[in-house]
Amino acid sequence: MKYEKKSSGINLKFIIPIGIILCGYLFFFTSRWWMPVGSNVSYHTALGTTQNWNDREITLIRWDYCEKDRSMEIELDIQNNSFDGINTYVASATDINEGYIDIEKIVEEPDWVIIKLSNLPKRWSEISLRLGMSEEDNDPCKVYTNIVKVNQVDKLGKNSISEYRIQRFNIEIENYNQEISQKEQNIEKIKKTNENIQQEILRLEENKKYETEQQIASTDEVINSARTQLNLNNESITENEKDITEIEQRIGKIQKQIEELKNGG
């Protein structure tokens, strides 16, 4: 007499897919704890970036992070082009994973704001700072940083307003010096191009003695075009030189303000 073999009651066809799904959920919900911080960050506002918002130009001057103190300082330049008399703003900050962060305004002037973030999460990864006209503002100005690209510093001391101003002026001078360096590089590049153009003109002029009248006419057109480009390039050099002179004057004015602040002015 034959007996049928009974099933054990567990069907692997169903168990394996369910196990895969459960592992996927486990991976998703626990990844924030074991994945390296910064492995999935994406947003970052570069220093010097200017945003147009509510008839205002908001420029990110500085975003410093001190890991030891778990704190940050964010410095913004604000140019209010609306002349509406509103020069104070509501600020908030959040980490993409950990939520809201303690925030304090260190400096708030019509054209200048410094904000401090404190008690940062130990595993923060990406932070957004929002500046609104009111608590109910649904379209705030947003700036971002992340653990990969933020500027890290050894300490963030409590400075006086004058010290913060000097720090801001030094950043302006540094940016101006970079601008001068770029313009000087532009000038050198244009001068090199001009040398190549002049050599080509000499070569074309030399070759004309072996050309027919029709060929000479065509060559003259090329030479005239080259000389026109030379003139345009020389004008560009002059403009760059004027810009450098203007920037150097601005640096001089800033340095004078720094000296006055250092002397208690």
Side-chain angles (χ1 to χ4, degrees):
M1 187 174 181
K2 293 183 179 180
Y3 294 92
E4 293 183 3
K5 190 175 181 180
K6 291 185 178 180
S7 171
S8 62
I10 301 176
N11 193 329
L12 293 178
K13 287 195 303 182
F14 296 104
I15 293 299
I16 292 174
I18 291 172
I20 292 172
I21 292 171
L22 290 175
C23 287
Y25 276 110
L26 186 65
F27 175 87
F28 177 79
F29 287 110
T30 64
S31 61
R32 61 178 289 193
W33 302 111
W34 57 265
M35 285 185 68
V37 176
S39 60
N40 62 343
V41 296
S42 56
Y43 289 101
H44 173 253
T45 304
L47 298 182
T49 299
T50 298
Q51 298 185 45
N52 293 311
W53 171 75
N54 277 353
D55 294 323
R56 290 158 172 78
E57 295 177 17
I58 313 292
T59 303
L60 178 60
I61 299 174
R62 179 172 61 91
W63 195 321
D64 292 339
Y65 166 51
C66 178
E67 182 179 8
K68 180 178 65 176
D69 297 337
R70 290 169 54 201
S71 63
M72 290 179 168
E73 281 185 6
I74 306 152
E75 189 168 351
L76 301 168
D77 180 88
I78 302 176
Q79 183 176 327
N80 185 352
N81 298 318
S82 70
F83 307 107
D84 56 9
I86 301 174
N87 295 306
T88 58
Y89 307 93
V90 177
S92 65
T94 57
D95 176 67
I96 191 172
N97 292 318
E98 304 292 340
Y100 284 96
I101 296 170
D102 294 342
I103 191 168
E104 172 193 3
K105 291 179 185 174
I106 299 175
V107 175
E108 184 170 34
E109 297 188 358
D111 62 345
W112 182 37
V113 175
I114 299 178
I115 293 167
K116 183 172 184 178
L117 308 185
S118 304
N119 302 316
L120 295 174
K122 291 183 179 179
R123 287 179 57 85
W124 76 272
S125 59
E126 188 174 274
I127 291 175
S128 67
L129 173 72
R130 305 180 181 196
L131 213 63
M133 302 292 287
S134 67
E135 294 281 359
E136 295 77 27
D137 194 338
N138 293 320
D139 185 28
C141 177
K142 302 175 186 177
V143 290
Y144 301 87
T145 196
N146 62 59
I147 190 65
V148 177
K149 295 188 176 180
V150 69
N151 182 51
Q152 300 204 27
V153 296
D154 294 331
K155 64 178 181 178
L156 289 171
K158 181 68 175 179
N159 295 328
S160 66
I161 296 295
S162 292
E163 288 170 331
Y164 276 122
R165 285 191 183 280
I166 290 172
Q167 186 178 34
R168 179 188 182 186
F169 286 146
N170 282 328
I171 291 172
E172 284 187 46
I173 289 173
E174 182 180 347
N175 291 337
Y176 276 140
N177 281 329
Q178 290 176 1
E179 194 173 344
I180 287 174
S181 178
Q182 184 60 55
K183 289 184 179 296
E184 287 175 340
Q185 290 177 29
N186 290 342
I187 289 172
E188 290 305 311
K189 185 177 179 180
I190 294 170
K191 285 182 176 179
K192 182 63 178 176
T193 300
N194 282 355
E195 289 177 7
N196 294 336
I197 292 173
Q198 288 168 340
Q199 288 176 4
E200 182 63 12
I201 289 172
L202 290 174
R203 187 189 69 81
L204 291 170
E205 290 285 5
E206 180 66 20
N207 287 344
K208 278 167 53 173
K209 61 186 178 183
Y210 306 111
E211 294 178 346
T212 65
E213 289 186 5
Q214 185 176 355
Q215 287 175 319
I216 290 172
S218 178
T219 298
D220 284 340
E221 289 182 6
V222 175
I223 291 172
N224 289 336
S225 177
R227 285 174 174 158
T228 299
Q229 187 60 54
L230 270 178
N231 291 333
L232 292 173
N233 288 353
N234 287 331
E235 288 175 7
S236 182
I237 289 173
T238 300
E239 288 302 314
N240 276 279
E241 289 172 342
K242 286 181 180 178
D243 290 342
I244 289 173
T245 300
E246 170 64 23
I247 293 169
E248 288 173 340
Q249 291 175 355
R250 293 182 186 183
I251 290 174
K253 297 290 185 181
I254 293 172
Q255 289 172 333
K256 184 177 180 181
Q257 292 180 77
I258 290 174
E259 288 303 313
E260 289 177 356
L261 286 168
K262 286 181 177 179
N263 295 327

